[in-house]
Amino acid sequence: LAFAEPVSVAKGRAKGRDSAMLGALAQLASFIGNDASSEEVDSIVDAVAEKAPVLQDWDLLVECMTCDEAAAALSSAADLEDVSASTSPASSKKKASKKARSSSSSSSSVALRRAIMRLLASSVTRMAKLARDSDATSGSRKRDAEKHGDAHKEATRALSLHVPALLRLFGPSGAASDDASLTAAVKVFAALKLEVYSVRR
């Protein structure tokens, strides 16, 4: 499959230095799959965002969608999650692992990329909402407002340059073309702090 131009924004991270992050991301992506509604994905992200820093690791999220090497590492992490979740005897786990490796890696990779796109959209939209809702606060909550505002700006700085690649990947002629994922990619752009995006351009 010809995916979007590789965006190795965190070179070498997919080679094991962030195995815990990859494992967490693989677990979340596998959990929502392609069947969860956008409302369900939003609810899941709301529930785990504070305990899952990977949902705000913008560079890693983008890399796992646009870089084949990172996507392969994520697929391997997903396979390990599936095997470790099994309650079968060790011999059965080995068979399950072998079967997972021999199955269509392309379709698995596409499904994971689509799921990550939806997680990314929900995470960015959530952050934008937090920044917007706290923008007018004062007093003891002013610090929270500044924190959310800074996080929103940082997300925009990290993601703005990659929106075109994501739209190519999930658009009508993209290698991972899918209506739900394309909608998610558009949601990401809509949720960015556009004045920061203009400065980046």
Side-chain angles (χ1 to χ4, degrees):
L1 290 177
F3 290 102
E5 297 177 11
V7 181
S8 188
V9 291
K11 187 175 181 181
R13 298 187 63 186
K15 294 183 178 180
R17 293 191 307 186
D18 287 294
S19 57
M21 290 285 239
L22 283 173
L25 181 56
Q27 189 174 30
L28 284 168
S30 298
F31 182 72
I32 69 167
N34 290 318
D35 298 324
S37 67
S38 59
E39 292 79 11
E40 289 171 331
V41 176
D42 288 344
S43 296
I44 292 169
V45 169
D46 278 338
V48 304
E50 298 301 325
K51 297 181 180 179
V54 69
L55 290 176
Q56 292 183 33
D57 191 331
W58 315 119
D59 287 346
L60 186 60
L61 291 171
V62 169
E63 189 173 13
C64 284
M65 287 185 284
T66 59
C67 175
D68 288 336
E69 182 180 11
L74 185 70
S75 294
S76 296
D79 289 344
L80 290 175
E81 289 292 336
D82 290 341
V83 173
S84 63
S86 173
T87 56
S88 303
S91 58
S92 297
K93 291 182 181 180
K94 290 180 181 179
K95 292 179 180 179
S97 179
K98 184 177 180 180
K99 182 179 179 181
R101 288 194 300 269
S102 62
S103 64
S104 175
S105 59
S106 295
S107 60
S108 174
S109 177
V110 169
L112 285 171
R113 293 178 202 230
R114 289 172 175 169
I116 294 170
M117 184 68 256
R118 299 177 71 196
L119 287 169
L120 173 62
S122 289
S123 186
V124 175
T125 300
R126 175 182 180 274
M127 176 168 294
K129 184 177 185 301
L130 287 173
R132 184 173 61 251
D133 290 349
S134 61
D135 189 47
T137 60
S138 59
S140 61
R141 301 194 63 184
K142 186 175 180 180
R143 189 173 301 172
D144 286 339
E146 292 176 350
K147 181 183 72 173
H148 295 315
D150 289 345
H152 191 199
K153 291 178 183 177
E154 179 56 34
T156 299
R157 293 189 187 97
L159 294 171
S160 59
L161 295 180
H162 305 302
V163 169
L166 295 176
L167 291 175
R168 286 196 301 272
L169 178 61
F170 297 108
S173 59
S177 180
D178 169 72
D179 287 345
S181 301
L182 177 57
T183 299
V186 173
K187 282 176 64 177
V188 168
F189 180 76
L192 298 181
K193 195 170 180 63
L194 294 181
E195 56 268 36
V196 178
Y197 178 73
S198 298
V199 172
R200 285 300 302 267
R201 293 186 67 189

